[in-house]
Amino acid sequence: MAKQSKTAISPTREQDYPAWYQEVIKASDMAENSPVRGCMVIKPWGYAIWENIMQQMDVLFKETGVKNAYFPLFIPLSYLEKEAEHVEGFAKECAVVTHHRLEPDGKGGLKPAGELAEPLIVRPTSETIIGESMARWTTSYRDLPLLLNQWANVVRWEMRTRMFLRTSEFLWQEGHTAHATAREAKERTMQMLDVYTKFVQECLAMPVIRGRKTVAERFPGADDTTCIEAMMQDKRALQAGTSHFLGQNFAKSSEIKFQNEEGQEAYAWTTSWGTSTRMIGGIIMVHSDDDGLVLPPRIAPAHAVIMPILKKGDDNREVMESARGLKDVLEGKLYHGRKINIEIDDRDTGGARGWDWVKKGVPVRIELGPRDIEQNMVSVARRDQAVNEKQSINREEFISEFTNILDNIQDTLFNRAIAFRKENTFEIDDKKAFYKIYQKARGYKNGAFVMAHWCGSQDCESTIKDHLSVTIRCIPFDSPVEEGSCICCGNSSSRRVLFAKAY
RNA sequence: CGGGGCGUAGCGCAGCCUGGUAGCGCGCCUGCUUUGGGAGCAGGAUGUCGGAGGUUCGAAUCCUCUCGCCCCGACCA
């Protein structure tokens, strides 16, 4: 018997975390690199996760009154120029379209011709072009609030890319709202952060810390940026969603004005909020193990796979019929608002078949052979448990318990992630200890979330960033007011902030 | 964009230093055996050695350029 490595994925997380991450994506067949630099091809197994994210978040958005729309991929260069901070934030990473036609170059190839009068940028985000529409759609306070969202792709010409976490083109959702009052806009900012929190924690089983960005980490053009931050297994932080209060900055640059109840002309107050395919990178890094992807049942493309145990001979029909029967019964149910999806894999590849599904992260693996059928049992393995750990369950009992099993896996993953974060989050007041914890932070084994006091000065923030590549991920909403001294300069501070290395 | 590493079959790699147009493991195909499990035996298919130039009688191998990937840094809502 050819002995394989003990883990399905090599290297392991401990051996080489970034390489492990790439391997999980490859082994699960989620995505691959494309011929275009920095861009990825999302394969069906990966895209199905995104579809599930879209479907479930879309429902949550609509419950708050948001409507979907679609705005152009191309934005006139002059639009981006309207908001000064916004320009500064995005100019460096914009792709620019300068021509609209190709002609034979005389050497058998093609060359761009027909230069555009005004270059178009490929949207890195859509505040400016949506602002243009909002300005025209908003004349009276009765037109407000205007609550829009679009599901789209955006392009940011990144220097360094990683699949799902940072690619030159990525898929996201961007919400844009306009309101009559600052208070209402601020409430909307928080409301959408609540939606993100609920979705990420309940559906992706990723615990998050909610908070406010420092001025240095704010969205360009925002008055206030709030975020949810999650801990990956290498103890780095991943921003899983952001929601911005844009004040009147974009309203002024895009002329989003309306007549208020007193008949006076006023600028609207706007917000924007987004989440992206980056969340899939988060799912990978929060839950997966050295045997590959682990998917929370609520976003898994398939909830379970049935692997019929077939023998060469003529008695397989009964097994296949039994498998199909089980699939039909289970698929007649709903789980967390989504129709249950069961795969049947009847390939005759021996044990490799099971490992394929382990690597793909399917939550439940069901083996069904003649012996099971005879005894009216099914053999069940769960992705949140050891690979060889399987139990025989009465078929009817399994069917009636199936959604509970899925819930149980979902809860296990969430609780595990919470426990992991707790183990690796520290309150530190001593500067030496703070430096020590990050100076040795290389790879998977070290690093941490640190709650430490910060005086509020940008100098201290950037000093720490320079020394340790550690940044303030957020000022958590729930960090209590308490007296302390800044971890960097020692000046007085009234609350702790969250420090971590960031993705 | 700076420093480092790497591109050879679907995947993982050897061969390169010391040029003679490719090999191993896994996977894949066929047959037999096996079967609650990353199977065994036998046979088989698959590569313009990332790309373009150059040196040479001859280049995966040497030289130049180029594209891409990975890591560190810079940078990044």
Side-chain angles (χ1 to χ4, degrees):
Chain A
M1 188 181 290
K3 202 65 201 156
Q4 305 275 325
S5 57
K6 290 186 181 65
T7 58
I9 298 296
S10 69
T12 62
R13 287 163 291 183
E14 193 172 332
Q15 287 163 345
D16 187 342
Y17 192 81
W20 165 84
Y21 176 79
Q22 303 287 334
E23 261 318 297
V24 170
I25 292 171
K26 195 178 286 180
S28 59
D29 212 27
M30 277 192 286
E32 60 189 29
N33 278 310
S34 75
V36 183
R37 180 196 161 90
C39 294
M40 66 192 290
V41 175
I42 305 177
K43 300 178 79 171
W45 190 252
Y47 196 75
I49 296 171
W50 182 238
E51 286 180 307
N52 289 335
I53 289 172
M54 283 195 280
Q55 280 162 17
Q56 294 179 61
M57 281 216 301
D58 205 55
V59 170
L60 297 176
F61 294 161
K62 284 171 180 162
E63 280 173 2
T64 73
V66 171
K67 302 220 189 307
N68 284 333
Y70 186 79
F71 295 86
L73 171 68
F74 300 122
I75 299 178
L77 187 55
S78 58
Y79 280 39
L80 189 81
E81 289 166 346
K82 286 177 185 176
E83 215 288 330
E85 281 187 45
H86 202 57
V87 176
E88 210 179 311
F90 287 110
K92 286 190 299 263
E93 45 193 75
C94 283
V96 187
V97 179
T98 55
H99 293 73
H100 70 103
R101 202 170 68 235
L102 291 170
E103 284 177 353
D105 65 359
K107 291 177 276 186
L110 293 166
K111 66 175 183 194
E115 188 167 354
L116 299 176
E118 179 183 358
L120 297 169
I121 63 162
V122 180
R123 62 179 165 225
T125 179
S126 303
E127 273 75 7
T128 57
I129 195 154
I130 292 181
E132 190 274 342
S133 289
M134 284 180 159
R136 286 182 292 104
W137 298 347
T138 304
T139 54
S140 149
Y141 68 92
R142 292 196 176 89
D143 296 323
L144 297 174
L146 190 49
L147 308 174
L148 301 172
N149 177 65
Q150 79 169 346
W151 291 95
N153 58 338
V154 286
V155 167
R156 296 180 188 180
W157 214 260
E158 300 289 353
M159 294 309 246
R160 184 171 163 190
T161 59
R162 293 170 214 242
M163 281 208 255
F164 288 114
L165 296 173
R166 175 168 282 112
T167 45
S168 294
E169 179 191 16
F170 58 94
L171 306 180
W172 79 343
Q173 135 303 289
E174 52 180 320
H176 297 269
T177 69
H179 305 264
T181 65
R183 213 193 89 193
E184 206 184 286
K186 285 178 182 170
E187 281 170 6
R188 173 56 63 165
T189 305
M190 287 310 298
Q191 182 180 16
M192 299 321 290
L193 194 73
D194 290 346
V195 167
Y196 289 159
T197 304
K198 179 182 164 73
F199 173 76
V200 170
Q201 297 202 142
E202 292 182 8
C203 296
L204 307 186
M206 279 170 57
V208 296
I209 292 172
R210 302 151 49 79
R212 172 166 285 114
K213 287 292 188 190
T214 63
V215 174
E217 298 278 333
R218 226 180 242 168
F219 177 76
D223 279 0
D224 187 21
T225 289
T226 63
C227 62
I228 52 177
E229 298 279 334
M231 181 189 277
M232 305 295 105
Q233 289 184 71
D234 60 353
K235 293 112 178 171
R236 288 171 70 175
L238 182 80
Q239 178 180 288
T242 52
S243 184
H244 316 290
F245 170 63
L246 302 175
Q248 292 180 310
N249 303 333
F250 286 91
K252 284 178 179 165
S253 60
S254 296
E255 294 288 317
I256 307 172
K257 291 185 286 196
F258 67 101
Q259 275 201 315
N260 63 23
E261 288 179 68
E262 288 79 45
Q264 296 157 327
E265 187 174 70
Y267 285 111
W269 301 80
T270 65
T271 78
S272 69
W273 25 278
T275 56
S276 72
T277 37
R278 181 174 230 214
M279 285 192 294
I280 297 175
I283 295 166
I284 297 166
M285 288 197 291
V286 169
H287 301 303
S288 300
D289 59 22
D290 294 335
D291 289 321
L293 188 63
V294 176
L295 289 172
R298 288 177 193 168
I299 44 88
H303 297 87
V305 58
I306 301 172
M307 295 178 282
I309 307 294
L310 304 174
K311 315 268 182 195
K312 278 226 173 110
D314 53 7
D315 61 341
N316 288 331
R317 209 179 51 194
E318 194 191 351
V319 177
M320 282 308 295
E321 274 170 13
S322 177
R324 281 190 213 104
L326 182 58
K327 172 180 157 91
D328 288 346
V329 178
L330 292 175
E331 287 191 339
K333 297 165 166 249
L334 286 178
Y335 174 62
H336 207 72
R338 177 160 64 98
K339 189 179 156 298
I340 282 178
N341 181 35
I342 309 290
E343 297 278 343
I344 292 181
D345 185 350
D346 59 0
R347 290 176 302 157
D348 180 19
T349 58
R353 175 174 67 171
W355 283 100
D356 280 352
W357 291 100
V358 169
K359 287 184 277 192
K360 289 176 92 69
V362 72
V364 175
R365 303 187 304 283
I366 304 161
E367 287 168 15
L368 192 62
R371 222 184 294 157
D372 300 300
I373 292 166
E374 200 179 305
Q375 296 165 25
N376 198 35
M377 304 289 270
V378 290
S379 178
V380 177
R382 296 167 43 149
R383 189 62 182 87
D384 62 337
Q385 297 172 347
V387 171
N388 55 12
E389 199 170 317
K390 57 180 177 181
Q391 38 181 299
S392 229
I393 308 177
N394 172 274
R395 182 170 173 133
E396 274 67 46
E397 191 187 327
F398 173 71
I399 290 167
S400 71
E401 281 297 303
F402 187 60
T403 56
N404 289 335
I405 293 171
L406 295 177
D407 267 337
N408 192 270
I409 295 171
Q410 185 84 25
D411 291 346
T412 301
L413 296 182
F414 184 69
N415 291 332
R416 236 178 236 174
I418 291 236
F420 182 83
R421 188 181 69 189
K422 199 173 168 198
E423 279 165 33
N424 293 290
T425 302
F426 307 99
E427 285 197 358
I428 293 182
D429 295 313
D430 175 53
K431 188 169 181 175
K432 269 189 196 153
F434 183 85
Y435 270 62
K436 197 175 162 196
I437 204 166
Y438 286 118
Q439 274 168 341
K440 63 171 187 178
R442 287 276 181 278
Y444 175 66
K445 284 204 104 170
N446 299 304
F449 273 17
V450 172
M451 296 297 298
H453 276 278
W454 173 56
C455 64
S457 110
Q458 283 200 47
D459 282 349
C460 288
E461 192 180 6
S462 69
T463 298
I464 286 169
K465 187 178 176 183
D466 288 347
H467 289 176
L468 300 168
S469 300
V470 167
T471 49
I472 299 174
R473 298 325 304 148
C474 69
I475 304 159
F477 295 135
D478 62 2
S479 91
V481 173
E482 62 172 46
E483 276 311 303
S485 56
C486 178
I487 197 73
C488 185
C489 68
N491 288 343
S492 79
S493 152
S494 59
R495 77 195 310 197
R496 292 174 187 277
V497 300
L498 171 63
F499 285 93
K501 294 200 175 191
Y503 270 102

